Amino acid sequence: MDEKNKDLETQAKEPASGASPEKLPESQSYTRSEPNGDAAVHNPETASAKDIPVEAVHSAEGVTPEGEPFATATKEEAEASSTHAFFDEAASEPARPAAQASSNNGTVPPVPPTRAGGGNLSGNNGGGEPPRKDGKKKTVWGAFLAGILGVLIGALIVLGFSWGALHDDNNNDATSTTTSNTGTTKKVTVENTTGTTQALEKVQDAVVSVLNYQAGTSIATGGTTEDEASSGSGVVYKKSNGKAYVVTNNHVVEGANKLEVTFSSGKKAEAKLVGTDKWNDLAVLEISDKYVTKVAEFGNSDAVKVGEIAIAIGSPLGTEFAGSVTQGIVSGVNRTVPVDTNGDGTEDWEAEVIQTDAAINPGNSGGALVNIEGQVIGINSMKISTENVEGIGFAIPSNTVVPIIDQLEKNGEVERPSLGVTLRDVDTIPEVQQQQVLKLPSGVDYGAMVQQVVAGSAADKAGLKEYDVIVEMNGKKVTNSMTLRQILYANDVKIGDKMEVKYYRNGKKESTTVTLTAASSTNQ
């Protein structure tokens, strides 16, 4: 081969078995908000009472304002007439503030009488004197009746509130706090049942912590040790014949020499790795069912709607916070998120996920995303973690999880169809070489270049060769190796299927039919 083709000779990197496990933080700091300052207490001073002067009336009953006696009037009539005149004058004048007391002998007007009926002030006692005695009795009796009525109304209101509290629409039972005469305080007991708490009762004990132990070297002795390298979460989904099966993420168990499961009760069980699938970041563990009390039920992730309640359960930051629950909503469905499966810094797969704003932190990986019915609709897998992003987490849909874990449980691996090639994205090849080496026509700057063909593979039998650029497969456009995998690994594509492949060779577009075989390596 000539010199200009040398840089295309680089073979495809072999993907690792999974992403780096989540490391436990060495330390955690907790910030507790402190009060901003002492509360200011304002004690206003009580204003001192002052004597209010009363203005004296300069006329006495039975005489005119000028001091003359009433003409042709008896003493009783004069008294009654003077009383009427007093009220008539008071009614005709506007109200005014009280003035200082007069110096006219200190005389103060009498207390106005209480009106018993219409304008007639005459009572049964004769002499025109107002019936003060009878009016006072009725006033006292009315006040007594009003007081009794107020007490009855207050009692009814209190009973109404008490009845409402005991028969709340949310079925909340409460024991109120009271302080007795002896100063002892009773404790308050509240039992609050909601849709979330009912969902958790069904599934929370089925979520476990998964501990990853890896080989290390003892500083003291120099011997080999097994140290906890990372931790995550898992979900017990099956129990049979004395065994139970746990689904978790591939990156949670990657590189483990030993795996251990911790239950919500604190009990521990050693776990055996049954199988992993790096492309969908899933793994299955086998444990004894001795301490298993709950088995999770999978829901239909295809029926999930944006806006419905989503509950994340797991062990964020390690077993110290095992069984933590966060709640949010389903923020999006059918999302595709590019991921790097082998840790080489290049995105080589697009995961189809459910997006949620329920808090997902390191350690939540492998835990359950649950709907309001307590069904697992996803396995929490990853989140976007940048300084300016909040509340964007992702879970692998349950309808993707179930067929994969069934295969892992039975076969220890997922059988997928394969072409038997290694690939390189065309957009990573310099433009000069696209034209001079691959001889791609103008406008074709996409596709997956065949970098190596495995002898005897499906691609080899179909006639594909090195430097062929695949641009279409099964009637779908191939823009890079990632889209080729998505087409090849689709749920409706099976081993043995025939698939038409279109490609460019030396500038000419050609096609061939490939009969898919089972993958025997990491090649596509």
Side-chain angles (χ1 to χ4, degrees):
M1 182 178 300
D2 53 30
E3 195 68 18
K4 61 185 178 181
N5 294 333
K6 284 185 178 180
D7 59 340
L8 293 177
E9 292 297 323
T10 304
Q11 298 300 317
K13 295 181 179 180
E14 191 72 8
S17 60
S20 300
E22 300 174 63
K23 300 295 183 181
L24 284 174
E26 295 181 359
S27 63
Q28 296 295 329
S29 62
Y30 301 85
T31 302
R32 181 175 61 188
S33 58
E34 296 293 337
N36 293 328
D38 294 335
V41 179
H42 179 62
N43 295 319
E45 296 181 1
T46 304
S48 59
K50 296 182 179 180
D51 294 331
I52 301 176
V54 180
E55 181 180 16
V57 178
H58 293 282
S59 60
E61 291 190 15
V63 295
T64 65
E66 290 78 12
E68 299 294 333
F70 286 104
T72 65
T74 65
K75 181 179 180 182
E76 290 80 5
E77 291 173 342
E79 290 176 351
S81 177
S82 177
T83 301
H84 283 296
F86 172 80
F87 282 104
D88 291 340
E89 181 182 359
S92 64
E93 292 184 6
R96 64 175 183 267
Q100 292 182 356
S102 171
S103 58
N104 186 13
N105 300 326
T107 308
V108 180
V111 178
T114 303
R115 294 174 94 67
N120 184 9
L121 294 177
S122 300
N124 295 330
N125 56 346
E129 184 70 14
R132 293 184 177 90
K133 205 168 189 180
D134 293 341
K136 185 175 181 181
K137 285 182 179 180
K138 292 181 179 181
T139 302
V140 172
W141 179 247
F144 176 74
L145 290 177
I148 293 297
L149 183 60
V151 171
L152 290 175
I153 292 174
L156 290 174
I157 292 173
V158 172
L159 288 174
F161 278 114
S162 301
W163 180 267
L166 292 173
H167 296 80
D168 190 90
D169 292 338
N170 291 330
N171 297 322
N172 296 336
D173 297 329
T175 302
S176 56
T177 302
T178 57
T179 303
S180 65
N181 294 332
T182 60
T184 59
T185 303
K186 295 181 180 179
K187 293 183 180 179
V188 176
T189 302
V190 177
E191 184 177 341
N192 188 4
T193 300
T194 66
T196 301
T197 59
Q198 291 174 342
L200 291 175
E201 287 177 1
K202 297 178 181 178
V203 70
Q204 190 169 20
D205 288 342
V207 179
V208 298
S209 299
V210 178
L211 306 180
N212 181 326
Y213 292 90
Q214 296 184 8
T217 302
S218 172
I219 299 176
T221 64
T224 302
T225 61
E226 284 185 342
D227 302 318
E228 183 182 326
S230 64
S231 69
S233 305
V235 181
V236 180
Y237 69 89
K238 184 178 179 180
K239 182 179 177 180
S240 176
N241 299 323
K243 298 178 182 179
Y245 295 89
V246 177
V247 57
T248 185
N249 287 141
N250 174 68
H251 73 263
V252 170
V253 300
E254 182 191 13
N257 283 16
K258 174 185 172 183
L259 292 167
E260 190 176 72
V261 164
T262 303
F263 297 90
S264 58
S265 62
K267 302 290 186 180
K268 295 184 178 183
E270 188 171 344
K272 172 187 173 183
L273 180 62
V274 176
T276 64
D277 175 27
K278 72 167 186 174
W279 298 110
N280 286 289
D281 194 21
L282 292 171
V284 171
L285 309 179
E286 180 186 295
I287 60 174
S288 167
D289 69 353
K290 181 178 180 180
Y291 302 120
V292 175
T293 58
K294 285 287 179 69
V295 174
E297 174 189 358
F298 285 105
N300 180 11
S301 59
D302 290 341
V304 170
K305 296 180 180 179
V306 174
E308 72 172 85
I309 289 177
I311 307 166
I313 312 173
S315 304
L317 308 181
T319 55
E320 182 180 356
F321 299 104
S324 291
V325 177
T326 55
Q327 179 174 305
I329 62 170
V330 173
S331 306
V333 295
N334 300 321
R335 298 288 199 219
T336 55
V337 180
V339 294
D340 175 16
T341 63
N342 56 11
D344 64 356
T346 301
E347 296 165 348
D348 46 20
W349 180 249
E350 278 192 344
E352 293 185 4
V353 292
I354 296 172
Q355 179 186 337
T356 180
D357 67 345
I360 296 176
N361 296 291
N364 272 116
S365 293
L369 187 68
V370 180
N371 63 16
I372 198 63
E373 297 297 325
Q375 299 171 324
V376 178
I377 56 173
I379 298 298
N380 299 321
S381 180
M382 53 188 163
K383 63 180 291 187
I384 295 178
S385 181
T386 61
E387 187 175 336
N388 58 345
V389 174
E390 263 186 55
I392 302 182
F394 303 103
I396 306 164
S398 57
N399 287 6
T400 300
V401 172
V402 172
I404 291 174
I405 62 177
D406 283 346
Q407 289 193 59
L408 292 177
E409 184 185 330
K410 294 174 182 177
N411 307 317
E413 62 180 1
V414 177
E415 282 193 344
R416 289 191 172 93
S418 171
L419 289 177
V421 296
T422 56
L423 303 170
R424 179 175 177 181
D425 296 341
V426 169
D427 59 10
T428 65
I429 300 172
E431 185 177 355
V432 173
Q433 293 181 352
Q434 290 181 21
Q435 296 173 357
Q436 295 180 1
V437 178
L438 302 179
K439 296 181 173 57
L440 293 175
S442 177
V444 179
D445 56 357
Y446 61 90
M449 186 198 77
V450 177
Q451 191 163 273
Q452 183 183 16
V453 179
V454 177
S457 66
D460 186 30
K461 293 176 182 178
L464 289 174
K465 296 181 179 180
E466 185 182 40
Y467 299 154
D468 287 347
V469 177
I470 301 174
V471 294
E472 185 178 315
M473 192 164 66
N474 206 25
K476 299 176 182 178
K477 184 178 179 179
V478 175
T479 58
N480 51 31
S481 58
M482 186 186 300
T483 57
L484 185 146
R485 292 188 195 99
Q486 289 177 314
I487 297 169
L488 193 61
Y489 298 161
N491 291 333
D492 57 348
V493 177
K494 308 298 181 185
I495 296 171
D497 288 352
K498 295 184 182 297
M499 187 174 290
E500 184 182 17
V501 176
K502 293 183 180 181
Y503 59 95
Y504 281 97
R505 178 183 291 171
N506 294 323
K508 183 181 178 181
K509 192 172 186 179
E510 300 183 18
S511 67
T512 186
T513 300
V514 177
T515 301
L516 300 176
T517 58
S520 57
S521 68
T522 56
N523 297 323
Q524 277 73 52

